[in-house]
Amino acid sequence: MGRTFKRLLVTGGAGFIGSNFVHRTLARRPYEVVVLDNLTYAGNLANLASVSSDSRFTFVQGDIRDAELVDKLMAEADQVVHFAAESHVDRSIMDGSNFARTQVVGTLTLLEAARQQGVTCYLQVSTDEVYGHVEDGVSREDDAPAPRSPYSATKAGADLVVNAYHITHGLTTVVTRGSNTYGPHQYPEKLLPVAITNALDGKPIPVYGDGMQVRDWLHVDDHCDGIDRVLHDGAPGEAYNIGAEHEGLGHGRTNLDVLRAVLDLLGKPYDMLQFVGDRPGHDRRYALGCEKLRALGWQTVLPFPVGLERTVQWYAERRDWWEPLKQDAGYVAYYNRNYGDREKLAAAR
Ligand code: NAD
Ligand code: DAU
C-alpha cells in the first residue's frame, strides 16, 4: 500500500456516497475522519447516526466555500476526499447557478486551503458524465471533457481546476470518475430510489423518453473501494475511472431493463411504468474503461442483480429513512415541478 494518513477531511459526508465512504473507512482503516457538510436537502445526519458516537469521528456543519473554516479544518487534516456537490442533473436543468457556486468556487476554496496547509493528498470525486455521452466504445481517462448538462459542465470545470493546482502548485491531487451509483441512503430523486419507493407505495414510475438510455450501474460499496484504492495508490495528477464495465462484459442495461428488474423483485406489474416527457439534452449512454484502476488491484465485487436485490430490500425495510424525506414540503414541490413539467412537455408533442 502507498500513502497512509492519520486524519481525513471528508466533504459531503452526510450525502449518499460520502456517508457510505465514511462507514467503510472507519470500519477498515485506523484513521480519524472529519466530515464537513452544510446539510443541503441531500445531506442527512441520519446517514451518519451509526458512527456518531465513534471517538474517531467528528461532524462539522459548514460550507466548503467558507475559506476560514476550510483553512482551519485543512490545517488539522493530512488528506481530503471531496464529495460535496450539487449532484442531481434534473435540478441543474431547473437552475444551474448553485451548481457553479458549489462545484467550482467550492473546489477552488478547498484546493487553495489544501496547498496553503500542505495536505499530502487531495482526492476529487468526479463523474463519468464529464466525458459526455458515448454512442459506442468506452470513455477513458485521457478523453477530452465534453459535458452536456449544467451539472456535468460544472463538475468538469472543477476537474480542470484540480488539474491546474497540480500543475501550477505541485499539489498531490488524484481524481476519480465514477459511474451511476446505487445502494442504501440514496436520496429519492435519483432513478432507483424514485422507482423503488414509488413501487412500494403503488405509485407510477416515471420513465423519461423511450427508456432506452444506458447507464453503467455501480454499487456504492464498489465505488467507495475504488476511491479508497486511488487515495492510497493513485499516481499524483492522474484520474481514474470507476465503473462496473457492464457494457464491456456484454450486458449493458437500459433504464427499462433496470426498472423491470426492480418490479420483478417486488412482484409488481410492468404497467406501473409511466412514460413521461424526456430530460432536455438527455445523455443516451455512458460506458467507462477501467483498466487503469484495475491495474492498481481494484475490481468490482457486487454483480448488479445481487446489489439491486440488496438495495430493494434496504428500501423495503427502511421506510423510516425515506418516508420523511418524501413527505417534506421541499421534496413535494421539487417532485411536482420536475414531473409536472414533463407532463406538459409530453402533452405539447
Ligand atoms: P448527494 O447529493 O447525495 O450528497 C451531496 C452532499 O454534499 C450532501 O450531504 C450535501 O449536504 C453536501 N453539500 C452540498 N453542497 C455543499 C456545500 N456547499 N458545502 C458543504 N457540503 C455540501 O451526492 P452523492 O450522490 O453522494 O454524490 C457525491 C459525489 O459523487 C458528488 O461529487 C457527485 O458528483 C459524485 N458522483 C455521484 C455519482 C452518483 O451516481 N450518485 C456518480 C459519480 C460521481
Ligand atoms: O453517471 C454518474 C451520475 O449518475 C452522477 O454524476 C450523478 O450525480 C447522478 O445523479 C447520476 O446521474 P444520472 O442523470 O445518470 O442519474 P439519474 O438517477 O437522475 O437518472 C438515471 C437515468 O434514469 C437517466 O437516463 C434519466 C432516467 N430517469 C431518471 C429519473 C430520476 C428516468 O427515466 N426517470 C426518473 O424519474
Side-chain angles (χ1 to χ4, degrees):
M1 191 179 73
R3 290 177 282 268
T4 58
F5 311 98
K6 286 188 184 149
R7 196 169 160 95
L8 314 188
L9 176 61
V10 177
T11 73
F16 164 49
I17 308 176
S19 61
N20 278 284
F21 179 81
V22 168
H23 284 114
R24 283 178 94 69
T25 301
L26 286 169
R28 290 161 181 230
R29 301 278 184 191
Y31 309 149
E32 291 172 31
V33 174
V34 179
V35 165
L36 172 63
D37 197 301
N38 68 347
L39 299 179
T40 67
Y41 74 93
N44 187 346
L45 283 180
N47 295 347
L48 296 167
S50 65
V51 293
S52 60
S53 57
D54 189 318
S55 61
R56 290 184 292 130
F57 173 74
T58 308
F59 179 78
V60 178
Q61 182 168 356
D63 198 302
I64 55 168
R65 293 163 294 182
D66 179 342
E68 201 177 321
L69 174 63
V70 164
D71 210 51
K72 177 177 167 292
L73 296 175
M74 208 71 86
E76 296 161 356
D78 51 4
Q79 175 266 357
V80 57
V81 183
H82 175 34
F83 289 97
E86 290 294 335
S87 68
H88 191 37
V89 173
D90 291 324
R91 288 186 195 253
S92 82
I93 293 167
M94 289 174 184
D95 179 3
S97 51
N98 212 28
F99 286 70
R101 285 191 285 268
T102 299
Q103 262 81 291
V104 182
V105 179
T107 298
L108 256 166
T109 308
L110 292 167
L111 287 162
E112 197 50 37
R115 88 174 174 99
Q116 299 279 355
Q117 298 301 337
V119 304
T120 55
C121 184
Y122 173 101
L123 188 145
Q124 177 80 6
V125 180
S126 185
T127 167
D128 62 359
E129 298 201 12
V130 299
Y131 299 116
H133 64 178
V134 285
E135 271 175 35
D136 46 34
V138 296
S139 301
R140 291 211 166 74
E141 289 85 351
D142 289 337
D143 289 356
R148 294 162 30 94
S149 75
Y151 161 72
S152 53
T154 55
K155 289 293 291 185
D159 282 15
L160 294 177
V161 181
V162 173
N163 201 35
Y165 267 71
H166 173 69
I167 292 168
T168 307
H169 296 297
L171 185 67
T172 297
T173 60
V174 278
V175 176
T176 58
R177 301 204 177 112
S179 63
N180 276 69
T181 305
Y182 69 96
H185 297 287
Q186 188 170 29
Y187 187 81
E189 64 187 354
K190 309 283 164 59
L191 178 67
L192 274 169
V194 165
I196 297 167
T197 59
N198 278 19
L200 287 166
D201 278 346
K203 292 183 182 154
I205 296 168
V207 183
Y208 296 171
D210 63 4
M212 295 304 285
Q213 304 79 12
V214 171
R215 299 291 184 266
D216 187 12
W217 295 96
L218 176 71
H219 192 273
V220 69
D221 288 353
D222 284 327
H223 192 160
C224 290
D225 287 352
I227 291 171
D228 180 85
R229 175 62 58 179
V230 172
L231 184 58
H232 290 91
D233 295 326
E238 294 293 313
Y240 294 84
N241 290 342
I242 311 179
E245 297 182 296
H246 287 138
E247 287 272 321
L249 296 170
H251 33 86
R253 285 182 180 80
T254 65
N255 290 345
L256 276 178
D257 291 336
V258 168
L259 293 172
R260 287 184 184 128
V262 168
L263 292 170
D264 286 345
L265 284 164
L266 289 169
K268 304 274 186 181
Y270 292 167
D271 65 8
M272 291 186 81
L273 301 178
Q274 182 180 55
F275 289 88
V276 299
D278 207 352
R279 173 184 280 176
H282 198 168
D283 284 349
R284 195 73 177 162
R285 172 180 176 270
Y286 304 132
L288 290 176
C290 305
E291 298 87 349
K292 201 168 159 184
L293 181 55
R294 279 193 276 109
L296 296 184
W298 170 90
Q299 60 178 21
T300 52
V301 173
L302 273 170
F304 184 71
V306 178
L308 185 65
E309 186 171 1
R310 284 189 197 171
T311 303
V312 168
Q313 194 178 346
W314 188 87
Y315 281 92
E317 288 169 358
R318 292 299 309 272
R319 275 183 178 274
D320 65 299
W321 184 85
W322 57 265
E323 269 183 348
L325 299 177
K326 291 190 84 165
Q327 284 160 4
D328 181 82
Y331 179 84
V332 173
Y334 155 77
Y335 196 94
N336 289 340
R337 184 170 170 209
N338 187 40
Y339 295 105
D341 284 349
R342 281 174 206 294
E343 291 313 313
K344 278 185 225 144
L345 258 177
R349 278 182 179 171

